[in-house]
Every structure is written in structure tokens, then in C-alpha cells.
Amino acid sequence: QVQLVESGGGLVQPGGSLRLSCAASRSISIYAMGWYRQAPGNQRELVAAITSGSRTNYADSVKGRFTISRDNAKNTVYLQMNSLKPEDTAVYYCNANKLPYSNYWGQGTQVTVSS
């Protein structure tokens, strides 16, 4: 079992920045890690992912604005979010995955982009 705890969400104005953190209860070095988000009335969607080898991929909607990174020594994954837009408003969830059976979620952190 891996417990994941997100932090860093909040209210920010359009064009602003936030950095989300996801702290794991134990080593994440073997896991692919991801950030997902879910806005009211929408399905949960992948925002960014990073493999155990630190390869990254991003949703088209956040490319060039968001950066995912990992610090295995601290058992933590980050999501740096710049140039935030109102449509980025959602609950952001951290995920740890290792096929075929391991899949863990955090409780989520709210990000609200509004003036």
C-alpha cells in the first residue's frame, strides 16, 4: 500500500502559478506517477505523467504551462502550474501506478483559478 497526500492547491488569479506536491508514504521509485484533475460534471482526466525513468507526457491543454517532476529521495512528485486559466479549475489528484495490480490515489486538492 502507498498513501498519497496532495498539497499546494488554492485560489489563484488567472495568469498566476501554483506548485502542487504529492507526498508518498513509502518509496515511489518503481511507480509511474501522474496528476489527474476532475472538474464538476466532468470525467477525471490525465494532466501529466512521469515514468519511473522520468519520461514525461502532458495533456495538450497544459503543454508548455505545466511541468511534472519527481524526487524519489523525498518520495514526492510535483506539478508546477504556470499561466493558469479559469478552465484549469478542478480537484487535482495524485496517482501511483505499477502494472499489473498496483494503483493508488490521493484524496485530491482543490485548485481554483478566478479573479
Side-chain angles (χ1 to χ4, degrees):
Q1 281 278 354
V2 178
Q3 281 76 47
L4 303 172
V5 178
E6 302 98 334
S7 61
L11 174 64
V12 63
Q13 291 187 343
S17 298
L18 283 174
R19 188 172 86 151
L20 305 183
S21 299
C22 171
S25 60
R26 61 182 183 87
S27 176
I28 59 168
S29 62
I30 63 172
Y31 290 90
M33 303 296 296
W35 285 98
Y36 290 72
R37 67 186 180 189
Q38 187 168 19
N42 290 357
Q43 290 188 335
R44 192 173 296 189
E45 63 175 359
L46 176 66
V47 175
I50 184 166
T51 68
S52 58
S54 294
R55 291 177 62 183
T56 60
N57 69 283
Y58 298 91
D60 287 344
S61 59
V62 306
K63 281 180 181 176
R65 300 189 297 123
F66 290 11
T67 302
I68 188 171
S69 61
R70 65 191 298 159
D71 185 340
N72 290 337
K74 296 182 178 179
N75 298 335
T76 302
V77 176
Y78 305 97
L79 185 67
Q80 178 66 43
M81 304 187 295
N82 299 329
S83 302
L84 282 161
K85 304 175 181 180
E87 51 263 44
D88 295 318
T89 295
V91 178
Y92 284 70
Y93 296 91
C94 180
N95 175 265
N97 178 271
K98 183 180 184 304
L99 296 175
Y101 303 119
S102 299
N103 192 48
Y104 304 104
W105 293 93
Q107 83 290 347
T109 186
Q110 176 70 47
V111 172
T112 302
V113 185
S114 175
S115 55

